[in-house]
Amino acid sequence: MLLTALLGLSILGAVRAQVTVYGQIPYGQTSAAFATSTRDPNATPTATTNNAYDETRLIPPTPPEDYSLAFTLNLQAANTSVPNLSILQHGTFYGFSIEMSVVTQLMGKNSSHIKVPFLNLMGLLQQRSGGVHIRVGGNTQDFAVYVDELENGEATAKEKSDLKNPTLTPAVLYTKELFHLAASISSLVNVRWYFGIPFNDTNWRLQIAEHSQAILGDNLLGLQGGNEPDYYLSHGHRQEGYGPFDYFGEFADLINAIDANPNIPVKNMLIGPSLASGPWSPEMMWETDFINAYKDNLVAITMEHYPSNNCFVQFGVGSFVDPQRTFPQFLTHQSALNLVEPYRHTSNLAREAERPFIMFETNSATCGGLPGISDSFGAALWALDYGLTMAATNFSGALLHVGGQNVYYNPFTAPPTNQTAFNQWTVGAVYYATLITAEIFGRSNQSQIVDTTNNGLLTPSYAIYDRGQLSKVALFNFMDDPSGAHDITGTITVEGGQVPPEVHVKYFEAESVAVKTNLTWAGQTLGNKFKVDGRLKGDLNITIIPCDQNANVCRVPVRAPSFALVHLNDPTKVDEDDLPITFQTTAFTKTINTATVDPEVLATSNGQSGKERSKLGSTSFGSVSGAQGLHALLPGVTVLLAMMGGAGMVMMALTR
Ligand SMILES: *[C@@H]1O[C@H](CO)[C@@H](O)[C@H](O)[C@H]1NC(C)=O
Ligand SMILES: *[C@@H]1O[C@H](CO)[C@@H](O)[C@H](O)[C@H]1NC(C)=O
Ligand SMILES: *[C@@H]1O[C@H](CO)[C@@H](O)[C@H](O)[C@H]1NC(C)=O
Ligand SMILES: *[C@@H]1O[C@H](CO)[C@@H](O)[C@H](O)[C@H]1NC(C)=O
Ligand SMILES: *[C@@H]1O[C@H](CO)[C@@H](O)[C@H](O)[C@H]1NC(C)=O
Ligand SMILES: *[C@@H]1O[C@H](CO)[C@@H](O)[C@H](O)[C@H]1NC(C)=O
Ligand SMILES: *[C@@H]1O[C@H](CO)[C@@H](O)[C@H](O)[C@H]1NC(C)=O
Ligand SMILES: *[C@@H]1O[C@H](CO)[C@@H](O)[C@H](O)[C@H]1NC(C)=O
Ligand SMILES: *[C@@H]1O[C@H](CO)[C@@H](O)[C@H](O)[C@H]1NC(C)=O
């Protein structure tokens, strides 16, 4: 049985085609990022026992009695003299780091079987930011082995032998299909990719570099050389005494190997040093002069870091981190400030070297995340604040890590293989942080952000400039108080200009920082666990708040807990440079896994009339010849052309 998805697209309005994408076919169980599993004793059993669906609900911290509930932000109308204003940011700021071993679970088994919910989740980000950056890698990249072919045409597979690497992640086998899969995705949604060159030893296995460059072309952003090398010694990948200078030497060796390889035409797209900032501090690495020595070969300076860990529970390593006691540490701006502090100098070094500085892999807690924290609304507020603080500290991007079924922190999780018939996808709270960040920085590539927090660490705030003008204000309330006694009011005044007659506010809300259900962004939700097809559901709800132009103030209430994005201009008014891409899903599949065509959703999507742009009635599934161009681009993909209007549309149909 095959679920066939017909997918239409309107990227840049140029190519209007439908591509057959197969989805949700049960296939051999691919590996989870972590080999061992420890169930939380308090979790309620569900259809599955995996951590990605854990129901632990922690107790929110009690808000302080005497917290100031009102504050004023004096903001400059123009970006000309704003202290500590960031570099220009892109809407692609938050992307994903997908563990190599779970690629087929999340993206599809090969280039002709792409998962539709994945495309839709990426499409939502593209609508807002113009694209998505994804890194495929992680611990599993270092031991990856190229093979010509895998059973059933899969792009990757878990190594079957007893050869296991010391971090308990099974070695990944991959074929060229991995890059064809990525290329097919890029032809449908504007995803661009980072891959990593295996670095477990210096007998360089360069096939990832060769095939990714050949197959992905401009959609390849860079190639990582070494993943958390500061842990190589303790993970047993290197001999005693291995330090920053050894890694520095190996990096030179890698550069030489690439220079000597005629199948790697682009020599200068490396990424490093990707320290975990565990055993080695960034400053220890900079003592080697890494940046200056390799600047010409580097496209980005990278680090990887998680603020907490669950390694004791997962692997018996370190000491127990108690989620309930740790929860409050995530619910304050102090967390974001602490996380960027070790990198302030590095961020300046990168800027001087004119290279982007990227947090290449991060999430709430390594070794799988923390039950009750990593997938809570609180974690979403944390990730959003952390992302904005990184942007304000001149990071150019950050990638949230995505693991398998057995981790708590995933931004998105495909249903377990044997549940695809009756369950849909699950979106983790932190996905909303990527969606909102994409919206905050938008598509102009000329957004700047500054941390304007002045009312205490439980209520951080930011001002966002776009094309030189104040355009948005972001207000957080980390406090949790259903009584309303800790709702706050942020007052905005504009210096060197005037507040607009009204502001358009989008709220990110849930009942409590502890919940994992019913999260809404401007009234819309992706759905609770096992209910996500990658479309936002519900009516868009933008709150219009009149300002007092005489007093030059706008007062914006923010309930406890929630986040408010205050648009100084009407966000539903689309300017010519900023045409949104509509990308909708409709699924016709068996049993519960059914979504039906909803013209209302199409009509209201992104504040724009889908009725005008998409000619639903004329949707045609007829196979049309003359698709050779796309066919060549997407090997193995059946390409069907359909004459559709501007709006893209994903259709899933059941065939046998
Ligand atoms: C700019 O940032 C630095 C470092 O965080 C801080 O010490 C300083 O107070 C900030 N300046 C202003 C005007 O906010
Ligand atoms: C590195 O990984 C490859 C592939 O998994 C393996 O064959 C090789 O023995 C590993 N090298 C070391 C030093 O562990
Ligand atoms: C993808 O997998 C399917 C099913 O296993 C297989 O029939 C098809 O040939 C594969 N496609 C490619 C391009 O390998
Ligand atoms: C970020 O870069 C800008 C220059 O574009 C600089 O003025 C600012 O101080 C930098 N911020 C930090 C935190 O280094
Ligand atoms: C799915 O597979 C897992 C692991 O093999 C098993 O524990 C679970 O009961 C299965 N679930 C269903 C609904 O078949
Ligand atoms: C923004 O930057 C991306 C990546 O560099 C580029 O593809 C896109 O065209 C830019 N958008 C605008 C509006 O300049
Ligand atoms: C202000 O914004 C414009 C347009 O994005 C940009 O070119 C300029 O560099 C910014 N100026 C400052 C001081 O950040
Ligand atoms: C979520 O929202 C639905 C519909 O509004 C409601 O029936 C349900 O009780 C809510 N669930 C939780 C856990 O808040
Ligand atoms: C829209 O959102 C606001 C803020 O959460 C809420 O007060 C209002 O009731 C919502 N309106 C609708 C129609 O849901």
Side-chain angles (χ1 to χ4, degrees):
M1 184 185 299
L2 232 52
L3 302 176
T4 306
L6 301 174
L7 181 128
L9 62 154
S10 65
I11 292 154
L12 308 174
V15 190
R16 283 178 191 146
Q18 282 199 331
V19 175
T20 305
V21 181
Y22 301 88
Q24 309 202 345
I25 301 157
Y27 50 88
Q29 181 82 45
T30 48
S31 61
F34 295 92
T36 58
S37 156
T38 308
R39 276 277 290 157
D40 184 278
N42 303 319
T44 317
T46 58
T48 161
T49 56
N50 294 326
N51 292 345
Y53 317 105
D54 177 71
E55 295 200 343
T56 306
R57 183 171 168 167
L58 301 173
I59 300 161
T62 307
E65 289 288 338
D66 53 353
Y67 200 87
S68 160
L69 302 178
F71 57 97
T72 299
L73 303 175
N74 292 303
L75 306 174
Q76 299 289 339
N79 71 345
T80 43
S81 59
V82 181
N84 289 350
L85 189 60
S86 77
I87 54 172
L88 300 183
Q89 297 290 1
H90 292 219
T92 49
F93 186 91
Y94 248 143
F96 304 102
S97 155
I98 297 184
E99 190 67 43
M100 197 169 177
S101 56
V102 298
V103 159
T104 53
Q105 278 181 22
L106 294 168
M107 291 169 17
K109 70 186 290 190
N110 63 30
S111 64
S112 44
H113 292 70
I114 300 173
K115 306 259 182 175
V116 173
F118 175 81
L119 292 175
N120 287 321
L121 290 169
M122 298 308 112
L124 285 180
L125 297 174
Q126 183 182 346
Q127 274 183 345
R128 288 157 176 78
S129 65
V132 188
H133 292 178
I134 296 180
R135 171 253 195 153
V136 172
N139 287 338
T140 46
Q141 89 193 16
D142 273 337
F143 282 78
V145 176
Y146 175 78
V147 292
D148 283 332
E149 226 175 328
L150 285 167
E151 228 176 298
N152 302 320
E154 299 236 9
T156 68
K158 183 164 61 174
E159 193 169 43
K160 289 204 174 61
S161 72
D162 41 69
L163 265 176
K164 275 197 176 173
N165 79 40
T167 52
L168 299 180
T169 29
V172 175
L173 307 175
Y174 68 96
T175 69
K176 281 186 213 170
E177 268 305 293
L178 175 60
F179 311 104
H180 286 303
L181 169 63
S184 296
I185 290 169
S186 295
S187 72
L188 300 166
V189 283
N190 186 22
V191 175
R192 301 177 77 205
W193 307 88
Y194 296 104
F195 278 87
I197 295 168
F199 214 92
N200 73 317
D201 60 32
T202 50
N203 302 316
W204 304 112
R205 303 191 299 284
L206 296 174
Q207 293 94 337
I208 285 185
E210 296 170 5
H211 300 311
S212 64
Q213 289 198 359
I215 296 167
L216 285 165
D218 286 348
N219 288 320
L220 181 67
L221 290 165
L223 292 165
Q224 190 182 23
N227 178 64
E228 305 186 346
D230 48 336
Y231 276 127
Y232 282 168
L233 179 61
S234 61
H235 287 173
H237 303 175
R238 291 295 189 277
Q239 300 297 313
E240 197 54 46
Y242 185 78
F245 281 92
D246 299 289
Y247 170 69
F248 178 83
E250 291 174 352
F251 208 85
D253 198 40
L254 175 64
I255 289 171
N256 290 337
I258 287 174
D259 281 347
N261 185 324
N263 298 324
I264 308 174
V266 186
K267 312 291 184 191
N268 59 348
M269 51 157 53
L270 289 175
I271 279 169
S274 311
L275 305 183
S277 312
W280 309 344
S281 70
E283 306 318 320
M284 283 168 72
M285 195 67 229
W286 307 144
E287 278 169 25
T288 68
D289 207 26
F290 183 93
I291 296 179
N292 287 321
Y294 301 135
K295 207 167 101 165
D296 293 343
N297 298 86
L298 291 170
V299 288
I301 311 292
T302 52
M303 291 289 166
E304 304 186 2
H305 195 71
Y306 295 73
S308 189
N309 76 82
N310 197 24
C311 298
F312 182 80
V313 173
Q314 289 281 353
F315 302 120
V317 174
S319 54
F320 178 63
V321 177
D322 180 345
Q324 183 60 65
R325 291 177 58 182
T326 307
F327 199 25
Q329 292 167 24
F330 282 87
L331 301 170
T332 158
H333 188 46
Q334 191 64 57
S335 172
L337 295 177
N338 290 348
L339 282 165
V340 300
E341 194 53 41
Y343 303 114
R344 283 185 192 279
H345 180 220
T346 297
S347 142
N348 281 322
L349 293 177
R351 188 156 46 87
E352 280 160 27
E354 298 180 326
R355 291 294 176 275
F357 176 41
I358 303 171
M359 176 49 69
F360 211 59
E361 178 183 324
T362 190
N363 213 316
S364 46
T366 189
C367 293
L370 290 162
I373 293 180
S374 296
D375 45 1
S376 67
F377 178 59
L381 292 176
W382 165 80
L384 183 53
D385 185 46
Y386 174 32
L388 298 185
T389 292
M390 283 189 277
T393 316
N394 293 343
F395 285 67
S396 288
L399 308 176
L400 281 180
H401 199 58
V402 194
Q405 300 287 327
N406 223 2
V407 307
Y408 299 98
Y409 56 56
N410 284 339
F412 41 81
T413 310
T417 317
N418 62 356
Q419 294 178 20
T420 51
F422 52 91
N423 278 328
Q424 299 199 60
W425 281 42
T426 299
V427 148
V430 295
Y431 175 84
Y432 289 88
T434 68
L435 188 74
I436 296 168
T437 304
E439 205 160 316
I440 288 175
F441 295 129
R443 306 177 70 178
S444 72
N445 298 340
Q446 292 186 60
S447 281
Q448 293 172 280
I449 185 164
V450 60
D451 186 339
T452 55
T453 306
N454 68 359
N455 185 53
L457 295 166
L458 302 180
T459 53
S461 64
Y462 302 83
I464 295 99
Y465 291 79
D466 191 14
R467 288 163 270 203
Q469 299 301 311
L470 180 64
S471 75
K472 303 178 190 90
V473 179
L475 302 170
F476 287 80
N477 189 347
F478 273 116
M479 295 182 284
D480 189 299
D481 183 352
S483 80
H486 286 87
D487 293 358
I488 58 167
T489 301
T491 298
I492 297 161
T493 76
V494 176
E495 281 178 29
Q498 203 191 18
V499 295
E502 59 193 21
V503 289
H504 301 250
V505 184
K506 287 189 171 187
Y507 286 103
F508 179 38
E509 297 180 306
E511 189 193 305
S512 153
V513 289
V515 302
K516 301 152 181 216
T517 52
N518 290 5
L519 273 55
T520 56
W521 168 234
Q524 299 183 302
T525 185
L526 284 154
N528 293 337
K529 72 175 175 186
F530 299 130
K531 296 277 187 265
V532 173
D533 65 9
R535 273 186 311 175
L536 285 167
K537 299 174 181 78
D539 294 335
L540 188 68
N541 174 4
I542 300 178
T543 305
I544 295 179
I545 298 176
C547 299
D548 181 343
Q549 284 195 305
N550 291 328
N552 194 16
V553 294
C554 306
R555 291 190 182 83
V556 180
V558 189
R559 51 172 290 253
S562 69
F563 166 82
L565 183 61
V566 184
H567 289 260
L568 302 192
N569 305 304
D570 184 349
T572 62
K573 281 219 181 87
V574 181
D575 83 36
E576 278 302 304
D577 303 337
D578 237 17
L579 272 185
I581 293 157
T582 346
F583 195 92
Q584 296 296 341
T585 318
T586 307
F588 300 97
T589 68
K590 52 191 160 168
T591 60
I592 315 172
N593 199 4
T594 303
T596 51
V597 184
D598 182 353
E600 286 308 306
V601 173
L602 280 174
T604 56
S605 68
N606 216 32
Q608 204 187 15
S609 172
K611 272 176 190 145
E612 280 158 29
R613 302 195 78 204
S614 81
K615 297 189 180 67
L616 252 186
S618 68
T619 300
S620 149
F621 306 123
S623 188
V624 177
S625 59
Q628 283 77 8
L630 260 176
H631 207 147
L633 206 73
L634 312 173
V637 178
T638 311
V639 178
L640 306 171
L641 284 185
M643 298 310 122
M644 286 183 69
M649 193 174 164
V650 179
M651 304 281 282
M652 291 177 72
L654 188 64
T655 62
R656 272 161 198 278

